[in-house]
C-alpha cells in the first residue's frame, strides 16, 4: 500500500522536477527515444539535427542522471566484422545495438572498467608462416576463423593497444629477420597471360608471387593487401 502511495505522489509531482531543467526553462530531454543508436558522433556531425532531437543525449543541456547503456557486445562474433564496420556511419545504429564494446562506443569510464575485465587473446601468430598464406586469408570469409586463431597478429585482428605494443617490439626485428618483399614482378612478361590470372582466386597466390605489379596487388606498406580487381 505504501509503495502505491509513493508512486502516486511521484506521478503527481510536476514533470520538470523529476526530469531536470535546462537554462531556458524547458525540460532537458530527447525528442526521440533512440538517440543512443545514432552514437555520439552524430552530436557534432549533425549538430542542428541533434539540437532538435537529442539534446539530453548530446549533453547540450543538463539532464538528470541516467543509467548508462551497458558497454557490452550483444553479438559474440563482433571481431568478425573487423574495424571498418565501426567507422562506417551507415552501420552506426547497428553497431550501437550489437557491438558497442568492440567498436569502443562507450564512455571512457565504461571502457576502462570493461577493458580491465577483458583479456583479449594474445596478439601472436600460432604458426610462423602466416605471411605465406597472404592477406587473402585474413579477409576471405572462408578462412577468417582459421586466421583469427592462427594469424592474429599477421592479420591485425588484435586490439589497438595490443598492436601498438606488438608493433613496437617487432618493427626492427621483423625488418631484420624478414624484410618486406619488394613489390615487383618476378617474370618479365606478365602481360602474356590472360587477365584471368589476376582476377581468378585460383591463381591468386601465383599472381602475388609472380606478377603483383602487373596485377595491381601491391600496397604502399609492402606486399599484397588490396583485393583483386574486377
Ligand atoms: C606453413 O607451415 C606448415 C608447418 O610447417 C606447413 O605444413 C604449411 O604447408 C606451411 N604453409 C605454407 C603456405 O607454406
Amino acid at each position: 500500500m505504501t509503495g502505491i502511495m509513493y508512486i502516486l505522489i511521484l506521478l503527481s509531482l510536476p514533470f520538470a522536477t523529476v526530469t531536470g531543467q535546462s537554462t531556458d526553462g524547458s525540460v532537458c530531454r530527447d525528442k526521440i527515444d533512440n538517440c543512443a543508436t545514432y552514437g555520439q558522433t552524430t552530436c557534432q556531425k549533425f549538430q542542428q539535427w541533434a539540437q532538435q532531437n537529442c539534446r539530453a543525449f548530446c549533453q547540450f543541456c543538463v539532464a538528470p542522471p541516467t543509467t548508462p547503456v551497458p558497454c557490452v557486445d550483444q553479438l559474440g562474433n563482433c571481431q568478425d566484422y573487423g574495424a571498418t564496420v565501426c567507422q562506417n556511419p551507415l552501420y552506426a545504429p547497428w553497431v550501437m545495438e550489437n557491438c558497442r564494446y568492440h567498436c569502443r562506443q562507450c564512455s571512457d569510464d565504461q571502457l576502462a572498467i570493461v577493458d580491465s575485465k577483458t583479456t583479449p587473446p594474445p596478439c601472436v601468430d600460432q604458426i610462423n608462416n602466416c605471411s605465406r598464406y597472404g592477406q587473402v586469408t585474413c579477409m576471405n570469409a572462408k578462412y577468417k576463423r582459421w586466421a583469427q586463431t592462427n594469424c592474429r597478429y599477421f592479420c591485425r585482428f588484435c586490439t589497438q593497444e595490443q598492436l601498438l605494443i606488438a608493433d613496437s617490439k617487432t618493427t626492427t626485428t621483423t625488418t631484420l629477420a624478414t624484410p618486406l618483399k619488394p613489390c615487383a614482378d618476378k617474370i618479365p612478361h606478365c602481360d602474356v597471360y590472360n587477365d584471368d590470372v589476376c582476377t581468378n582466386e585460383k591463381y591468386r597466390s601465383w599472381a602475388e608471387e609472380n606478377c603483383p605489379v602487373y596485377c595491381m596487388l601491391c600496397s604502399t606498406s609492402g606486399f599484397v593487401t588490396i583485393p583483386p580487381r574486377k
Side-chain angles (χ1 to χ4, degrees):
M1 190 61 197
T2 34
I4 292 168
M5 287 299 288
Y6 183 64
I7 290 165
L8 284 176
I9 291 168
L10 262 187
L11 285 176
S12 63
L13 284 172
F15 196 53
T17 43
V18 185
T19 34
Q21 286 190 333
S22 58
T23 40
D24 65 356
S26 61
V27 179
C28 182
R29 61 191 165 119
D30 298 333
K31 220 178 215 170
I32 58 176
D33 58 14
N34 60 341
C35 289
T37 60
Y38 293 95
Q40 285 290 344
T41 37
T42 320
C43 302
Q44 284 88 49
K45 254 186 164 160
F46 304 100
Q47 199 168 14
Q48 211 170 347
W49 178 89
Q51 283 279 9
Q52 286 282 322
N53 297 288
C54 299
R55 274 170 11 104
F57 172 74
C58 291
Q59 300 182 334
F60 293 142
C61 54
V62 182
T66 50
T67 329
V69 189
C71 184
V72 293
D73 293 336
Q74 295 295 342
L75 294 182
N77 65 338
C78 289
Q79 289 287 349
D80 291 356
Y81 295 92
T84 20
V85 82
C86 307
Q87 284 137 22
N88 190 332
L90 272 180
Y91 297 123
W94 181 90
V95 161
M96 298 309 278
E97 185 77 14
N98 297 292
C99 297
R100 255 174 90 79
Y101 175 60
H102 167 69
C103 288
R104 308 194 71 75
Q105 292 294 315
C106 316
S107 71
D108 290 347
D109 294 348
Q110 283 184 312
L111 284 174
I113 294 168
V114 185
D115 283 348
S116 71
K117 289 183 190 158
T118 315
T119 324
C123 187
V124 292
D125 296 334
Q126 298 293 340
I127 57 173
N128 60 14
N129 56 354
C130 286
S131 61
R132 296 203 53 126
Y133 293 91
Q135 288 286 341
V136 155
T137 325
C138 312
M139 292 178 288
N140 188 316
K142 224 163 76 187
Y143 305 117
K144 215 163 166 178
R145 247 184 220 261
W146 177 90
Q148 265 160 7
T149 310
N150 294 291
C151 299
R152 232 176 102 73
Y153 176 59
F154 172 74
C155 290
R156 308 194 71 73
F157 289 142
C158 316
T159 66
Q160 286 305 320
E161 285 85 354
Q162 285 185 316
L163 285 174
L164 278 176
I165 296 167
D167 286 347
S168 71
K169 279 188 195 153
T170 48
T171 322
T172 35
T173 34
T174 321
T175 2
L176 289 177
T178 46
L180 280 178
K181 215 174 212 172
C183 204
D185 290 345
K186 226 183 199 171
I187 52 178
H189 289 292
C190 291
D191 56 351
V192 301
Y193 296 96
N194 196 309
D195 260 7
D196 199 34
V197 94
C198 299
T199 51
N200 193 323
E201 203 55 45
K202 226 167 57 183
Y203 304 124
R204 180 58 184 248
S205 56
W206 182 91
E208 282 180 8
E209 188 69 26
N210 297 290
C211 299
V213 176
Y214 175 72
C215 290
M216 303 200 301
L217 295 170
C218 303
S219 77
T220 46
S221 61
F223 211 45
V224 188
T225 47
I226 45 178
R229 66 192 160 124
K230 294 268 144 44

